[in-house]
Amino acid sequence: MTQSHPRISKAVIPAAGLGTRFLPATKATPKEMLPVVDKPAIQYVVEEAASAGLDDVLMITGRNKRPLEDHFDRNYELESALQKKGDASRLAKVQESSDLATMHYVRQGDPKGLGHAVLCAAPHVGHEPFAVLLGDDLIDPRDPLLARMVEVQEQHGGSVIALMEVAPEQIHLYGCAAVESTADDDVVKVTGLVEKPDAADAPSNYAIIGRYVLDPHIFDILRKTEPGRGGEIQLTDALQQLATDEKIGGPVHGVVFKGRRYDTGDRGDYLRAIVRLACEREDLGPDFRAWLRSYVAEEM
């Protein structure tokens, strides 16, 4: 009989990065606030957490990230102006971001890596399992990855990571998992992890993407984890300990994701995400697709 585990309600979103790949746009604007069509990328991530039932969101921020807090706060002056104009549609869009979840913020301070950013969440999370969502990864809302990961964690306990099959020549860009199959086609047991291996050394072509559901024992491990690849405290290194010693904090499982994912941390994929999402919008899609066909035909 499957054991039941505590319901997850908290999500952590690390958002302290400098966004150097998008300079000069990110010189004064957080990369998470760059628009994907007409919403900042970070809003899609918070919407995903809220849709999975995680309505307590802690954002790990840093210097020059105040616009993130402002975006999820009320803007009474703007709301009042829209109310006076009778612009109910835009008023609803403005209020939407502040009604998504209960938002909390803490600064990372020193940029010591993803593992350190997650460790900054320990006082807020306490002794509960929690989710981590990386702001660069946008998951299409029609593919409820996080909800599935929460379900798997509630069934098995421990931690759950999101995995995606990539071409062998791309595995050096990701954390990589050694896995064993389970009774569920989309779930594997993780037996080992390595951060950004060479293709010849990779245990599989299962890459870790930016969604995690973590057992709180991860904090104890992170406190003792030495800097790894890139001189940073790697979350992958801490998860490796959980995967190889279940007595610490339960097993590590992986949910194999085959849906739609957009990497907005890469300039090319960021542009592709905008095009894809704009094409699928009812209000923008028809005209935009017609223009795109014409543009491609002319260029070809």
Side-chain angles (χ1 to χ4, degrees), residues 222-239:
L222 286 170
R223 292 185 183 100
K224 302 173 185 177
T225 300
E226 296 293 327
R229 191 178 182 92
E232 297 182 335
I233 298 174
Q234 298 289 348
L235 180 60
T236 303
D237 293 342
L239 284 166

Side-chain angles (χ1 to χ4, degrees), residues 1-9 52-54 129 146-160 213 253:
M1 185 173 182
T2 302
Q3 185 177 356
S4 178
H5 295 272
R7 177 69 187 173
I8 300 168
S9 63
L54 283 61
L146 185 60
R148 176 58 174 153
M149 294 174 67
V150 169
E151 179 182 44
V152 172
Q153 198 280 336
E154 289 175 343
Q155 290 175 347
H156 299 287
S159 298
V160 181
V213 177
H253 285 86

Side-chain angles (χ1 to χ4, degrees), residues 23 30 41-42 48 79-80 97 100 141 144 147 149 156 189 203 206 240 256 268 274 283:
L23 287 170
I42 194 67
E48 181 186 353
E79 291 179 25
S80 177
S97 60
L100 283 172
M149 294 174 67
H156 299 287
K189 185 174 181 180
Y206 284 108
Q240 162 69 4
V256 180
I274 293 173
D283 56 338

Side-chain angles (χ1 to χ4, degrees), residues 10-285:
K10 295 179 179 178
V12 174
I13 302 176
L18 297 176
T20 52
R21 285 183 287 182
F22 281 84
L23 287 170
T26 51
K27 179 180 178 181
T29 301
K31 67 172 181 176
E32 296 84 4
M33 290 300 297
L34 295 179
V36 179
V37 188
D38 54 5
K39 284 192 298 190
I42 194 67
Q43 183 170 332
Y44 290 88
V45 180
V46 175
E47 288 173 351
E48 181 186 353
S51 295
L54 283 61
D55 56 2
D56 184 323
V57 176
L58 174 68
M59 203 168 290
I60 312 298
T61 67
R63 288 178 56 82
N64 301 322
K65 298 287 185 169
R66 182 60 185 272
L68 294 171
E69 298 185 34
D70 291 341
H71 180 71
F72 292 102
D73 199 0
R74 298 290 299 274
N75 186 327
Y76 293 103
E77 295 84 355
L78 178 57
E79 291 179 25
S80 177
L82 292 172
Q83 283 177 334
K84 289 177 181 179
K85 291 182 178 180
D87 195 337
S89 176
R90 287 191 175 89
L91 177 60
K93 290 180 179 179
V94 168
Q95 292 177 331
E96 182 182 14
S97 60
S98 57
D99 294 336
L100 283 172
T102 301
M103 302 295 297
H104 310 270
Y105 305 89
V106 64
R107 286 197 175 192
Q108 183 178 5
D110 295 331
K112 297 180 181 179
L114 177 59
H116 179 259
V118 171
L119 184 56
C120 291
H124 180 80
V125 169
H127 301 289
E128 305 173 25
F130 65 103
V132 174
L133 298 84
L134 303 192
D136 286 346
D137 276 334
L138 300 191
I139 304 298
D140 194 292
R142 293 166 295 184
D143 301 312
L145 170 62
L146 185 60
R148 176 58 174 153
M149 294 174 67
V150 169
E151 179 182 44
V152 172
Q153 198 280 336
E154 289 175 343
Q155 290 175 347
H156 299 287
S159 298
V160 181
I161 61 177
L163 300 174
M164 180 181 69
E165 290 190 79
V166 301
E169 60 269 21
Q170 291 184 316
I171 197 65
H172 71 281
L173 300 172
Y174 299 88
C176 178
V179 303
E180 296 176 351
S181 60
T182 71
D184 295 313
D185 291 340
D186 66 332
V187 179
V188 294
K189 185 174 181 180
V190 177
T191 59
L193 294 151
V194 59
E195 180 67 18
K196 297 182 178 179
D198 293 333
D201 300 324
S204 74
N205 66 330
Y206 284 108
I208 305 169
I209 59 176
R211 296 294 181 270
Y212 308 80
V213 177
L214 301 177
D215 183 275
H217 284 90
I218 195 76
F219 295 131
D220 295 331
I221 297 174
L222 286 170
R223 292 185 183 100
K224 302 173 185 177
T225 300
E226 296 293 327
R229 191 178 182 92
E232 297 182 335
I233 298 174
Q234 298 289 348
L235 180 60
T236 303
D237 293 342
L239 284 166
Q240 162 69 4
Q241 291 193 46
L242 288 180
T244 55
D245 187 353
E246 294 185 14
K247 295 179 181 178
I248 299 176
V252 178
H253 285 86
V255 171
V256 180
F257 182 63
K258 297 182 179 179
R260 289 154 284 200
R261 165 185 174 260
Y262 313 108
D263 180 5
T264 59
D266 174 82
R267 289 175 298 174
D269 212 20
Y270 170 75
L271 294 173
R272 286 187 283 271
I274 293 173
V275 171
R276 289 168 181 165
L277 292 173
C279 283
E280 294 173 0
R281 287 267 296 260
E282 292 184 2
D283 56 338
L284 298 173

